[in-house]
Amino acid sequence: MKNVRFSALAILAMALVALTAANSQTLEFKLLKTSNPKERVTGIHCATAKSCVIATEGSGGDGGKVYASNGVSIGAKLVDGDFESGNSSKLGLLGDLNFYGFSKVGDTLFALSGVSKALISSKGDITQASTWSVQTLGKTPGGLNTQTGIGMKDDRWVLGVQAFISESTDEPSPGALWTAIWSPESAPDGFYQLWRDSNKTLCSSIPGPAMAPKPLQSVYIAADLGIIAYTTSGGSRASPEKEGVCLSSDGGKRFYRAALPDAQDGDNPYGVTCITSDRCFAFSNKSAVFRGKTDFIYVTSDARKTVASTWKAAKLPAMRPDSRFNAVFFAPDGKSGWAVGQVDVSNPLLLSTTDGGETWKDSTASVRGLAPNAQLHSGFALSASAIWLGTNQGAVITSAK
Protein backbone atom coordinates (compact mmCIF):
# COMPACT_ATOMS: atom_id res chain seq x y z
CA MET A 1 0.00 0.00 0.00
CA LYS A 2 2.87 2.33 0.85
CA ASN A 3 4.48 1.60 -2.51
CA VAL A 4 1.23 2.45 -4.32
CA ARG A 5 0.94 5.71 -2.38
CA PHE A 6 4.58 6.52 -3.10
CA SER A 7 4.12 5.81 -6.80
CA ALA A 8 1.07 8.06 -6.98
CA LEU A 9 2.92 10.88 -5.25
CA ALA A 10 5.91 10.41 -7.56
CA ILE A 11 3.70 10.60 -10.64
CA LEU A 12 2.02 13.75 -9.29
CA ALA A 13 5.40 15.34 -8.57
CA MET A 14 6.64 14.54 -12.07
CA ALA A 15 3.49 16.03 -13.58
CA LEU A 16 3.95 19.23 -11.59
CA VAL A 17 7.58 19.47 -12.68
CA ALA A 18 6.55 18.99 -16.31
CA LEU A 19 3.81 21.62 -16.02
CA THR A 20 6.21 24.10 -14.44
CA ALA A 21 8.77 23.47 -17.19
CA ALA A 22 6.13 23.99 -19.87
CA ASN A 23 5.01 27.27 -18.30
CA SER A 24 8.55 28.58 -18.00
CA GLN A 25 9.83 27.45 -21.39
CA THR A 26 11.64 30.01 -23.49
CA LEU A 27 9.73 30.78 -26.65
CA GLU A 28 11.52 30.71 -30.00
CA PHE A 29 10.68 33.66 -32.23
CA LYS A 30 10.85 34.58 -35.90
CA LEU A 31 10.48 37.93 -37.67
CA LEU A 32 7.78 38.85 -40.23
CA LYS A 33 7.97 42.16 -42.12
CA THR A 34 5.36 44.45 -43.68
CA SER A 35 5.94 46.45 -46.84
CA ASN A 36 6.86 49.64 -44.94
CA PRO A 37 9.73 49.47 -42.41
CA LYS A 38 8.63 52.79 -40.87
CA GLU A 39 5.03 51.91 -39.96
CA ARG A 40 3.98 51.06 -36.40
CA VAL A 41 2.21 47.75 -35.82
CA THR A 42 -0.72 48.79 -33.64
CA GLY A 43 -2.79 45.62 -33.49
CA ILE A 44 -2.78 41.91 -34.23
CA HIS A 45 -5.66 39.43 -34.27
CA CYS A 46 -5.50 35.75 -35.17
CA ALA A 47 -8.27 33.23 -35.70
CA THR A 48 -5.61 30.51 -35.97
CA ALA A 49 -1.83 30.50 -36.18
CA LYS A 50 -2.19 30.56 -39.99
CA SER A 51 -4.98 33.13 -40.18
CA CYS A 52 -4.04 36.55 -38.83
CA VAL A 53 -4.58 40.24 -39.56
CA ILE A 54 -2.22 43.07 -38.66
CA ALA A 55 -3.12 46.75 -38.24
CA THR A 56 -0.63 49.57 -38.70
CA GLU A 57 -0.20 53.31 -38.34
CA GLY A 58 1.48 54.65 -41.45
CA SER A 59 4.62 56.75 -41.69
CA GLY A 60 6.70 58.50 -44.31
CA GLY A 61 3.70 59.77 -46.26
CA ASP A 62 1.90 56.43 -46.31
CA GLY A 63 -1.40 55.62 -44.61
CA GLY A 64 -1.93 52.66 -42.33
CA LYS A 65 -2.82 49.18 -43.51
CA VAL A 66 -4.69 46.07 -42.50
CA TYR A 67 -2.57 43.15 -43.70
CA ALA A 68 -3.20 39.41 -43.90
CA SER A 69 -0.66 36.94 -42.53
CA ASN A 70 -0.41 33.17 -42.89
CA GLY A 71 2.10 32.83 -40.06
CA VAL A 72 5.01 32.57 -42.48
CA SER A 73 4.88 36.04 -43.98
CA ILE A 74 2.83 39.23 -44.03
CA GLY A 75 0.99 39.32 -47.32
CA ALA A 76 -1.95 41.06 -48.94
CA LYS A 77 -3.17 44.54 -48.01
CA LEU A 78 -6.77 43.91 -47.02
CA VAL A 79 -7.57 47.56 -46.30
CA ASP A 80 -5.28 50.32 -47.59
CA GLY A 81 -5.24 53.62 -45.73
CA ASP A 82 -3.34 55.53 -48.41
CA PHE A 83 -5.46 58.38 -49.73
CA GLU A 84 -4.84 57.18 -53.28
CA SER A 85 -6.57 53.86 -52.50
CA GLY A 86 -9.95 55.59 -52.37
CA ASN A 87 -10.89 54.35 -48.90
CA SER A 88 -10.39 57.78 -47.35
CA SER A 89 -12.74 59.29 -49.91
CA LYS A 90 -15.46 56.82 -48.90
CA LEU A 91 -15.29 58.39 -45.44
CA GLY A 92 -15.11 61.97 -46.66
CA LEU A 93 -11.47 62.38 -45.58
CA LEU A 94 -8.88 64.52 -47.31
CA GLY A 95 -5.87 62.58 -46.08
CA ASP A 96 -4.56 59.13 -45.18
CA LEU A 97 -6.31 56.72 -42.82
CA ASN A 98 -4.57 54.92 -39.95
CA PHE A 99 -5.52 51.92 -37.82
CA TYR A 100 -5.16 51.34 -34.06
CA GLY A 101 -5.97 47.72 -33.28
CA PHE A 102 -9.00 45.45 -33.42
CA SER A 103 -12.20 44.75 -31.48
CA LYS A 104 -14.14 41.50 -31.99
CA VAL A 105 -17.86 41.52 -31.21
CA GLY A 106 -19.73 38.32 -32.01
CA ASP A 107 -18.74 37.20 -35.52
CA THR A 108 -17.59 40.68 -36.58
CA LEU A 109 -14.02 41.93 -36.38
CA PHE A 110 -13.72 45.72 -36.29
CA ALA A 111 -10.52 47.53 -37.26
CA LEU A 112 -10.27 50.62 -35.06
CA SER A 113 -9.34 53.69 -37.07
CA GLY A 114 -8.10 57.22 -36.56
CA VAL A 115 -11.52 58.78 -37.24
CA SER A 116 -14.70 58.28 -35.24
CA LYS A 117 -17.04 57.83 -38.21
CA ALA A 118 -15.21 54.94 -39.91
CA LEU A 119 -16.82 51.50 -40.00
CA ILE A 120 -14.14 49.07 -41.13
CA SER A 121 -15.07 45.48 -40.43
CA SER A 122 -14.94 41.86 -41.56
CA LYS A 123 -17.29 38.90 -41.31
CA GLY A 124 -16.03 35.51 -42.38
CA ASP A 125 -12.43 34.71 -43.31
CA ILE A 126 -10.55 37.72 -41.96
CA THR A 127 -7.61 37.11 -44.31
CA GLN A 128 -9.71 37.64 -47.43
CA ALA A 129 -10.17 41.17 -48.79
CA SER A 130 -13.68 40.28 -49.98
CA THR A 131 -14.89 39.99 -46.36
CA TRP A 132 -13.77 43.52 -45.44
CA SER A 133 -15.92 46.60 -45.93
CA VAL A 134 -15.16 50.32 -45.59
CA GLN A 135 -18.12 52.61 -44.91
CA THR A 136 -19.28 55.24 -42.46
CA LEU A 137 -20.42 54.35 -38.96
CA GLY A 138 -23.28 56.81 -38.93
CA LYS A 139 -23.51 60.07 -37.03
CA THR A 140 -20.93 59.94 -34.23
CA PRO A 141 -19.48 62.41 -31.71
CA GLY A 142 -15.76 63.01 -31.82
CA GLY A 143 -15.13 64.15 -35.39
CA LEU A 144 -11.62 63.08 -36.32
CA ASN A 145 -10.88 61.53 -32.92
CA THR A 146 -9.45 58.01 -32.76
CA GLN A 147 -11.69 55.03 -32.08
CA THR A 148 -10.79 53.19 -28.85
CA GLY A 149 -13.16 50.21 -28.79
CA ILE A 150 -16.66 48.86 -29.38
CA GLY A 151 -18.99 46.42 -27.63
CA MET A 152 -22.60 45.29 -27.55
CA LYS A 153 -25.15 43.79 -25.15
CA ASP A 154 -28.87 43.24 -25.70
CA ASP A 155 -28.78 45.13 -29.01
CA ARG A 156 -27.27 48.20 -27.34
CA TRP A 157 -23.96 49.21 -28.89
CA VAL A 158 -21.28 51.25 -27.13
CA LEU A 159 -18.51 53.01 -29.06
CA GLY A 160 -15.34 54.48 -27.61
CA VAL A 161 -13.76 57.47 -29.33
CA GLN A 162 -11.01 59.62 -27.83
CA ALA A 163 -12.78 61.85 -25.25
CA PHE A 164 -16.23 60.20 -25.73
CA ILE A 165 -18.23 57.11 -24.85
CA SER A 166 -21.33 56.87 -27.07
CA GLU A 167 -24.27 54.49 -27.44
CA SER A 168 -26.69 53.46 -30.16
CA THR A 169 -29.59 51.05 -30.47
CA ASP A 170 -28.86 50.88 -34.18
CA GLU A 171 -26.49 48.24 -35.48
CA PRO A 172 -23.26 49.85 -36.74
CA SER A 173 -24.03 51.12 -40.23
CA PRO A 174 -24.05 54.37 -42.24
CA GLY A 175 -27.54 55.07 -40.88
CA ALA A 176 -26.75 54.57 -37.19
CA LEU A 177 -27.26 57.42 -34.73
CA TRP A 178 -24.82 57.62 -31.82
CA THR A 179 -25.37 59.67 -28.66
CA ALA A 180 -22.57 60.72 -26.30
CA ILE A 181 -23.29 59.33 -22.82
CA TRP A 182 -19.93 60.01 -21.15
CA SER A 183 -17.48 62.83 -21.74
CA PRO A 184 -16.84 64.73 -18.49
CA GLU A 185 -17.61 68.44 -18.79
CA SER A 186 -20.07 67.84 -21.66
CA ALA A 187 -21.94 64.54 -21.08
CA PRO A 188 -23.98 63.68 -19.16
CA ASP A 189 -25.72 67.01 -18.60
CA GLY A 190 -25.03 68.54 -15.22
CA PHE A 191 -21.79 66.60 -14.81
CA TYR A 192 -20.34 68.87 -12.12
CA GLN A 193 -23.42 68.48 -9.92
CA LEU A 194 -23.29 64.71 -10.40
CA TRP A 195 -19.59 64.77 -9.54
CA ARG A 196 -20.21 66.68 -6.33
CA ASP A 197 -23.22 64.53 -5.37
CA SER A 198 -21.12 61.37 -5.73
CA ASN A 199 -18.58 62.74 -3.22
CA LYS A 200 -16.26 63.25 -6.16
CA THR A 201 -16.01 59.51 -6.86
CA LEU A 202 -17.17 59.97 -10.46
CA CYS A 203 -14.28 60.24 -12.92
CA SER A 204 -13.57 63.71 -14.24
CA SER A 205 -10.84 62.68 -16.69
CA ILE A 206 -11.84 62.20 -20.32
CA PRO A 207 -11.62 58.69 -21.81
CA GLY A 208 -8.39 58.58 -23.79
CA PRO A 209 -5.72 61.30 -23.73
CA ALA A 210 -4.79 63.17 -26.90
CA MET A 211 -1.08 62.57 -27.40
CA ALA A 212 1.44 61.20 -29.88
CA PRO A 213 2.19 58.47 -30.48
CA LYS A 214 -1.40 57.48 -29.83
CA PRO A 215 -1.73 55.13 -26.82
CA LEU A 216 -3.20 51.78 -27.86
CA GLN A 217 -4.71 50.72 -24.52
CA SER A 218 -5.88 53.92 -22.83
CA VAL A 219 -9.48 52.64 -23.03
CA TYR A 220 -10.81 49.08 -22.69
CA ILE A 221 -14.34 48.10 -23.77
CA ALA A 222 -15.34 44.48 -23.19
CA ALA A 223 -17.09 42.92 -26.18
CA ASP A 224 -20.12 42.15 -23.95
CA LEU A 225 -19.85 45.49 -22.06
CA GLY A 226 -19.16 43.58 -18.83
CA ILE A 227 -16.58 46.23 -17.92
CA ILE A 228 -15.39 49.45 -19.51
CA ALA A 229 -12.22 51.05 -18.22
CA TYR A 230 -9.94 53.97 -18.98
CA THR A 231 -6.99 55.68 -17.37
CA THR A 232 -7.12 58.88 -15.36
CA SER A 233 -5.28 61.91 -16.66
CA GLY A 234 -5.54 64.35 -13.78
CA GLY A 235 -9.13 65.46 -14.35
CA SER A 236 -9.84 69.13 -15.05
CA ARG A 237 -9.27 72.39 -13.22
CA ALA A 238 -12.85 72.37 -11.99
CA SER A 239 -12.71 68.73 -10.91
CA PRO A 240 -9.11 67.60 -10.31
CA GLU A 241 -8.53 63.88 -10.03
CA LYS A 242 -6.03 61.65 -8.26
CA GLU A 243 -4.24 58.78 -10.00
CA GLY A 244 -6.36 55.72 -10.75
CA VAL A 245 -8.55 53.84 -13.20
CA CYS A 246 -12.03 54.92 -14.32
CA LEU A 247 -14.42 51.95 -14.28
CA SER A 248 -17.98 51.40 -15.49
CA SER A 249 -20.03 48.28 -14.79
CA ASP A 250 -23.24 49.70 -16.28
CA GLY A 251 -22.22 49.84 -19.93
CA GLY A 252 -20.60 53.29 -19.88
CA LYS A 253 -23.34 55.35 -18.24
CA ARG A 254 -21.26 56.18 -15.15
CA PHE A 255 -17.53 55.86 -14.47
CA TYR A 256 -16.05 55.79 -10.98
CA ARG A 257 -12.40 56.23 -10.03
CA ALA A 258 -10.61 53.31 -8.41
CA ALA A 259 -7.49 54.37 -6.53
CA LEU A 260 -4.05 52.86 -7.09
CA PRO A 261 -2.43 52.36 -3.66
CA ASP A 262 0.93 54.07 -3.17
CA ALA A 263 0.88 55.70 -6.62
CA GLN A 264 3.06 58.80 -6.68
CA ASP A 265 1.43 62.19 -7.09
CA GLY A 266 0.73 62.75 -10.81
CA ASP A 267 1.79 59.20 -11.76
CA ASN A 268 -1.33 58.36 -13.77
CA PRO A 269 -1.48 54.97 -15.52
CA TYR A 270 -0.79 55.02 -19.25
CA GLY A 271 -2.84 51.98 -20.23
CA VAL A 272 -5.47 49.55 -18.97
CA THR A 273 -6.69 46.17 -20.20
CA CYS A 274 -8.85 43.35 -18.85
CA ILE A 275 -9.05 39.60 -19.38
CA THR A 276 -12.42 39.19 -17.61
CA SER A 277 -14.98 41.66 -16.30
CA ASP A 278 -13.16 41.61 -12.95
CA ARG A 279 -9.52 40.88 -13.78
CA CYS A 280 -7.87 44.05 -15.07
CA PHE A 281 -4.40 45.57 -15.33
CA ALA A 282 -3.16 49.17 -15.33
CA PHE A 283 0.38 50.05 -16.33
CA SER A 284 2.79 52.97 -16.51
CA ASN A 285 4.80 54.72 -19.19
CA LYS A 286 7.63 57.10 -18.33
CA SER A 287 7.83 58.87 -21.70
CA ALA A 288 8.72 62.53 -21.91
CA VAL A 289 5.21 63.25 -23.20
CA PHE A 290 3.27 61.23 -20.62
CA ARG A 291 5.66 62.13 -17.77
CA GLY A 292 5.21 58.99 -15.70
CA LYS A 293 7.51 58.67 -12.71
CA THR A 294 7.71 54.97 -11.84
CA ASP A 295 7.40 51.56 -13.48
CA PHE A 296 4.29 49.70 -12.38
CA ILE A 297 1.67 47.17 -13.33
CA TYR A 298 -1.35 47.16 -11.03
CA VAL A 299 -3.82 44.28 -10.96
CA THR A 300 -7.36 43.83 -9.63
CA SER A 301 -9.72 40.86 -9.38
CA ASP A 302 -12.89 42.84 -8.61
CA ALA A 303 -13.07 45.59 -11.23
CA ARG A 304 -16.87 45.51 -11.36
CA LYS A 305 -16.92 46.98 -7.85
CA THR A 306 -15.64 50.15 -9.58
CA VAL A 307 -14.82 52.71 -6.87
CA ALA A 308 -14.62 49.92 -4.26
CA SER A 309 -12.35 47.69 -6.35
CA THR A 310 -8.97 46.85 -4.86
CA TRP A 311 -5.74 47.16 -6.81
CA LYS A 312 -2.28 45.98 -5.89
CA ALA A 313 1.10 46.48 -7.50
CA ALA A 314 2.59 43.44 -9.24
CA LYS A 315 6.17 42.39 -8.56
CA LEU A 316 8.42 43.59 -11.40
CA PRO A 317 12.05 42.75 -12.16
CA ALA A 318 14.76 45.39 -11.86
CA MET A 319 14.33 47.80 -14.76
CA ARG A 320 16.38 50.60 -16.28
CA PRO A 321 15.24 54.16 -15.53
CA ASP A 322 14.44 54.74 -19.21
CA SER A 323 12.12 51.71 -19.53
CA ARG A 324 8.46 52.18 -20.43
CA PHE A 325 5.45 49.97 -21.14
CA ASN A 326 3.26 50.31 -24.24
CA ALA A 327 0.82 47.38 -23.92
CA VAL A 328 -0.12 44.32 -21.84
CA PHE A 329 -1.85 41.20 -23.16
CA PHE A 330 -2.65 37.64 -22.06
CA ALA A 331 -3.23 34.18 -23.49
CA PRO A 332 -6.73 32.67 -23.12
CA ASP A 333 -5.56 30.70 -20.04
CA GLY A 334 -5.46 33.99 -18.10
CA LYS A 335 -2.15 33.00 -16.54
CA SER A 336 0.38 33.56 -19.32
CA GLY A 337 0.86 37.21 -20.15
CA TRP A 338 3.31 39.72 -21.61
CA ALA A 339 4.07 43.41 -21.18
CA VAL A 340 5.70 45.06 -24.20
CA GLY A 341 7.50 48.35 -24.47
CA GLN A 342 10.88 49.91 -24.96
CA VAL A 343 14.11 50.89 -23.27
CA ASP A 344 15.18 54.40 -24.25
CA VAL A 345 13.90 55.02 -27.81
CA SER A 346 15.55 52.22 -29.73
CA ASN A 347 15.53 48.99 -27.71
CA PRO A 348 12.74 46.45 -27.09
CA LEU A 349 11.31 45.56 -23.68
CA LEU A 350 9.42 42.32 -23.01
CA LEU A 351 8.24 41.10 -19.61
CA SER A 352 6.36 37.84 -19.08
CA THR A 353 4.21 36.28 -16.37
CA THR A 354 2.89 32.76 -15.74
CA ASP A 355 0.84 33.50 -12.60
CA GLY A 356 -1.81 35.81 -14.00
CA GLY A 357 0.18 39.02 -13.66
CA GLU A 358 1.13 38.87 -9.99
CA THR A 359 4.86 38.58 -10.76
CA TRP A 360 6.82 39.38 -13.94
CA LYS A 361 10.25 38.53 -15.31
CA ASP A 362 12.37 40.12 -18.01
CA SER A 363 12.19 38.09 -21.25
CA THR A 364 13.68 40.71 -23.57
CA ALA A 365 16.70 38.57 -24.43
CA SER A 366 14.43 36.18 -26.35
CA VAL A 367 13.55 38.86 -28.95
CA ARG A 368 16.40 41.39 -28.83
CA GLY A 369 18.42 39.55 -31.48
CA LEU A 370 15.58 39.75 -34.01
CA ALA A 371 14.77 43.43 -33.47
CA PRO A 372 17.69 45.02 -31.59
CA ASN A 373 16.70 48.61 -32.39
CA ALA A 374 12.91 48.30 -32.30
CA GLN A 375 10.24 49.32 -29.83
CA LEU A 376 7.44 46.86 -29.03
CA HIS A 377 3.97 48.44 -29.15
CA SER A 378 1.34 45.70 -29.39
CA GLY A 379 0.73 42.00 -28.90
CA PHE A 380 -1.66 39.07 -29.23
CA ALA A 381 -1.68 35.51 -27.88
CA LEU A 382 -3.55 32.45 -29.13
CA SER A 383 -1.96 30.35 -26.38
CA ALA A 384 0.95 30.38 -23.96
CA SER A 385 3.25 29.25 -26.78
CA ALA A 386 1.82 31.16 -29.76
CA ILE A 387 2.20 34.93 -29.41
CA TRP A 388 2.75 37.91 -31.72
CA LEU A 389 4.58 41.16 -30.92
CA GLY A 390 4.18 44.35 -32.99
CA THR A 391 7.10 46.74 -33.48
CA ASN A 392 7.49 50.36 -34.62
CA GLN A 393 9.54 49.20 -37.62
CA GLY A 394 6.94 47.49 -39.76
CA ALA A 395 7.61 44.05 -38.33
CA VAL A 396 5.94 41.38 -36.21
CA ILE A 397 7.83 38.95 -33.97
CA THR A 398 6.03 35.65 -33.47
CA SER A 399 6.53 32.32 -31.73
CA ALA A 400 3.66 30.61 -33.55
CA LYS A 401 4.56 27.42 -35.40
Side-chain angles (χ1 to χ4, degrees):
M1 189 68 178
K2 289 183 179 179
N3 289 338
V4 172
R5 184 179 300 124
F6 175 79
S7 298
L9 290 173
I11 292 172
L12 177 60
M14 292 172 64
L16 290 173
V17 169
L19 179 61
T20 301
N23 287 338
S24 61
Q25 65 181 335
T26 299
L27 300 178
E28 295 183 1
F29 291 94
K30 58 187 176 184
L31 190 69
L32 311 179
K33 296 182 179 181
T34 71
S35 59
N36 182 356
K38 295 183 179 181
E39 60 189 344
R40 179 170 68 132
V41 176
T42 55
I44 303 157
H45 180 87
C46 297
T48 70
K50 305 296 184 183
S51 178
C52 299
V53 286
I54 296 161
T56 70
E57 176 186 52
S59 179
D62 291 332
K65 309 288 188 295
V66 175
Y67 294 98
S69 175
N70 60 6
V72 178
S73 63
I74 297 174
K77 299 174 186 176
L78 303 173
V79 184
D80 192 340
D82 287 350
F83 180 76
E84 292 78 7
S85 72
N87 286 321
S88 292
S89 299
K90 294 178 183 178
L91 303 172
L93 302 179
L94 299 178
D96 294 333
L97 183 66
N98 288 297
F99 305 99
Y100 296 97
F102 299 99
S103 287
K104 191 172 191 298
V105 183
D107 61 354
T108 302
L109 183 66
F110 296 90
L112 304 177
S113 80
V115 291
S116 67
K117 63 181 179 180
L119 174 55
I120 301 171
S121 61
S122 170
K123 287 186 177 181
D125 185 346
I126 57 175
T127 64
Q128 298 300 310
S130 59
T131 70
W132 285 88
S133 64
V134 177
Q135 54 188 327
T136 61
L137 188 55
K139 188 175 181 180
T140 61
L144 298 179
N145 291 6
T146 302
Q147 296 173 339
T148 56
I150 190 169
M152 185 270 289
K153 181 180 181 181
D154 298 332
D155 297 324
R156 173 179 174 264
W157 289 83
V158 171
L159 172 70
V161 174
Q162 191 273 319
F164 293 91
I165 300 294
S166 303
E167 68 176 358
S168 178
T169 55
D170 300 319
E171 187 166 342
S173 68
L177 176 62
W178 298 84
T179 302
I181 56 174
W182 189 261
S183 182
E185 301 186 32
S186 63
D189 292 337
F191 171 78
Y192 290 120
Q193 185 62 50
L194 292 170
W195 179 71
R196 288 188 290 268
D197 291 347
S198 73
N199 293 320
K200 303 179 182 179
T201 59
L202 282 176
C203 275
S204 59
S205 297
I206 63 172
M211 57 187 298
K214 296 180 187 294
L216 302 177
Q217 291 186 330
S218 61
V219 180
Y220 173 83
I221 300 178
D224 64 356
L225 305 183
I227 193 73
I228 304 177
Y230 67 89
T231 59
T232 58
S233 56
S236 65
R237 292 181 181 179
S239 52
E241 188 159 64
K242 292 288 289 181
E243 305 76 27
V245 179
C246 299
L247 297 166
S248 173
S249 60
D250 63 1
K253 297 175 183 177
R254 295 288 186 272
F255 285 84
Y256 296 89
R257 184 185 66 86
L260 300 180
D262 304 319
Q264 293 190 29
D265 186 34
D267 210 1
N268 293 290
Y270 175 79
V272 60
T273 190
C274 303
I275 56 176
T276 70
S277 294
D278 279 317
R279 187 75 170 174
C280 298
F281 305 84
F283 57 89
S284 62
N285 181 297
K286 302 198 306 293
S287 69
V289 175
F290 197 72
R291 300 177 182 175
K293 299 175 181 178
T294 59
D295 297 305
F296 62 75
I297 297 176
Y298 276 89
V299 58
T300 184
S301 294
D302 56 4
R304 283 181 293 181
K305 291 182 178 179
T306 63
V307 68
S309 62
T310 54
W311 295 72
K312 64 178 180 179
K315 183 179 180 180
L316 302 182
M319 299 175 65
R320 280 181 35 170
D322 51 359
S323 299
R324 65 188 75 160
F325 298 121
N326 290 323
V328 170
F329 65 100
F330 278 77
D333 64 14
K335 295 295 184 182
S336 306
W338 297 265
V340 298
Q342 63 201 78
V343 178
D344 195 7
V345 295
S346 59
N347 294 284
L349 174 67
L350 177 65
L351 302 190
S352 61
T353 178
T354 57
D355 62 4
E358 303 288 337
T359 58
W360 299 77
K361 69 175 184 178
D362 193 336
S363 299
T364 310
S366 62
V367 299
R368 187 181 290 117
L370 288 172
N373 302 312
Q375 305 167 7
L376 302 181
H377 281 260
S378 57
F380 180 84
L382 267 180
S383 68
S385 60
I387 74 170
W388 288 257
L389 310 172
T391 76
N392 67 327
Q393 297 181 345
V396 171
I397 301 170
T398 180
S399 64
K401 303 296 185 182

